[in-house]
Amino acid sequence: MDKFRMIFQFFQSNQESFMNGICGIMALASTQMYSAFDFNCPCLPHYNLAYGLGILLVPPFILFLLGFVLNNNISMLAEEWRRPQGQRGKDPAVLRYMFCSMAQRAMIAPAVWLSVTLLDGKCITCAFCTSVPVETLGNASHPRLSQGEVQRVLARIPCKEIYNGQQLIANEVAVRYLRCISQALGWCFVLLMTTLAFLVRSLRPCFSQAAFLKSRYWSHYIDIERKLFDETCTEHARSFAKVCIQQFFEGMSTDLVAARCHLPRKAPADAGEAAEKLLGITDQGTMNMALKSWHRCKPPLHLHPPAQPTGNGWAGEGQPPTHPSAPRKETAAYYSWV
């Protein structure tokens, strides 16, 4: 149980670890979905290709879109891309980094699905069973079958229980031939994905490490800034609601006192603290204006240093200002010659 707790805490440590965990879970889910999927080839000449390629390509596309939907950064990317220029410029490198990061994670589950499907071989067997070279693997000189009948017989290769073309080509030979091709494609796909991942990981620091660090830093900054802004808005909404409720009950208490219902009245201890958290925004219109201003013109990424004192002749020449020392006590001593 402690190991699961440690893994869960690692996934919650930052946004990147959380999304890596989500992608890993989706990859495991894709393999479980394929193993639980009941593959039934229609065994018809005009439907086998559509069914086989549909099972091979449509679920990876759905998993790819699902990877984008589960990624919390997709809304942040869309907001950053569509927001007005305002006081802060938009860096295309940061937007590209965010999109590429999401796309790489979203492609993990589709790549696992394609690898498992190709290595299993059922989809390729169903889709291309009518393309088996009968001249090489079987008896192409069968005199009693036309071309259309040959296609119908070959379309039944994935359905072993209804296949009736053993005289044309053996079912085991055709299935093994197509499955070998499918597995070869699957291993080539796995090798290609592994090679691309290795090249991206190993060669990227050699060319654009500084630009990559800059893009990753500002991408994390945008994520943290959005979270802090949401937390600040939530805290302001809580304080606003608390003050509104307190004012409502105070008004009700005043009405009851006016109606000669003398009730004990005690000022809430946290009323002043809640009012301080409002930061001067005490009505709906002002809050809406603040939210619109945040969206339209975010503050520039430049922290202004505090103004330096210039009253004592110090104007920032590199020396710290000298604080006036505490006044010293002076004592007078009187000597008598008497």
Side-chain angles (χ1 to χ4, degrees):
M1 199 65 184
D2 295 336
K3 293 182 179 179
F4 287 106
R5 189 181 295 110
M6 291 176 59
I7 294 174
F8 186 72
Q9 290 176 355
F10 172 75
F11 286 157
Q12 283 189 328
S13 59
N14 53 51
Q15 183 71 14
E16 228 172 284
S17 301
F18 176 75
M19 290 314 306
N20 290 336
I22 291 293
C23 293
I25 293 174
M26 287 184 59
L28 294 176
S30 64
T31 57
Q32 293 296 324
M33 287 171 56
Y34 183 79
S35 61
F37 178 70
D38 189 11
F39 188 89
N40 292 316
C41 187
C43 295
L44 295 173
H46 302 291
Y47 297 95
N48 285 9
L49 182 63
Y51 183 82
L53 293 182
I55 299 300
L56 181 65
L57 300 178
V58 173
F61 180 72
I62 297 175
L63 291 172
F64 181 74
L65 294 181
L66 189 62
F68 271 99
V69 171
L70 294 179
N71 199 320
N72 296 329
N73 291 339
I74 185 64
S75 58
M76 182 177 65
L77 174 63
E79 179 183 352
E80 184 68 16
W81 178 50
R82 293 295 300 170
R83 73 172 177 84
Q85 188 75 14
Q87 300 181 9
R88 182 189 302 179
K90 293 184 284 186
D91 193 350
V94 178
L95 299 179
R96 284 195 302 268
Y97 170 81
M98 294 168 62
F99 178 79
C100 293
S101 178
M102 287 186 292
Q104 289 174 5
R105 292 183 174 91
M107 286 181 63
I108 295 177
V112 171
W113 178 277
L114 288 173
S115 302
V116 172
T117 306
L118 290 174
L119 292 175
D120 185 55
K122 292 180 182 178
C123 291
I124 297 298
T125 302
C126 179
F128 299 100
C129 57
T130 56
S131 302
V132 174
V134 182
E135 298 84 359
T136 307
L137 302 177
N139 184 15
S141 61
H142 201 282
R144 295 176 296 176
L145 296 178
S146 62
Q147 186 65 27
E149 292 175 343
V150 170
Q151 292 295 317
R152 282 193 295 270
V153 171
L154 294 179
R156 296 176 182 176
I157 290 176
C159 307
K160 188 176 181 180
E161 61 277 2
I162 62 173
Y163 181 70
N164 56 355
Q166 293 290 342
Q167 298 178 357
L168 182 65
I169 183 173
N171 181 271
E172 294 79 5
V173 174
V175 170
R176 181 168 296 184
Y177 172 79
L178 293 173
R179 184 166 294 177
C180 289
I181 294 177
S182 179
Q183 291 179 352
L185 293 175
W187 285 116
C188 290
F189 179 77
V190 172
L191 179 61
L192 178 62
M193 291 294 102
T194 307
T195 304
L196 288 177
F198 170 75
L199 292 177
V200 169
R201 289 288 186 177
S202 59
L203 296 181
R204 182 174 56 188
C206 300
F207 295 98
S208 59
Q209 181 66 10
F212 171 73
L213 291 175
K214 183 191 70 172
S215 302
R216 185 172 64 177
Y217 174 85
W218 290 117
S219 174
H220 292 172
Y221 172 83
I222 293 173
D223 182 29
I224 296 173
E225 183 187 51
R226 186 186 184 189
K227 290 179 180 178
L228 290 177
F229 184 76
D230 291 341
E231 292 175 2
T232 305
C233 290
T234 303
E235 184 66 25
H236 184 276
R238 184 180 292 108
S239 302
F240 192 86
K242 184 181 295 184
V243 173
C244 285
I245 293 172
Q246 289 172 355
Q247 290 181 356
F248 169 75
F249 279 100
E250 287 176 0
M252 289 295 297
S253 177
T254 304
D255 294 341
L256 291 176
V257 170
R260 297 180 181 179
C261 296
H262 299 284
L263 297 176
R265 208 176 156 188
K266 184 178 180 181
D270 55 347
E273 182 181 355
E276 289 179 0
K277 292 181 179 180
L278 295 177
L279 301 176
I281 304 177
T282 57
D283 62 292
Q284 184 179 5
T286 308
M287 190 63 199
N288 292 338
M289 187 185 304
L291 295 175
K292 291 179 181 179
S293 177
W294 175 263
H295 172 68
R296 292 177 180 174
C297 49
K298 289 186 178 181
L301 298 178
H302 176 69
L303 302 179
H304 300 282
Q308 303 291 348
T310 57
N312 295 328
W314 179 71
E317 294 86 358
Q319 298 294 331
T322 57
H323 299 284
S325 59
R328 293 179 301 175
K329 285 186 177 181
E330 295 183 359
T331 57
Y334 296 93
Y335 298 94
S336 176
W337 294 95
V338 179

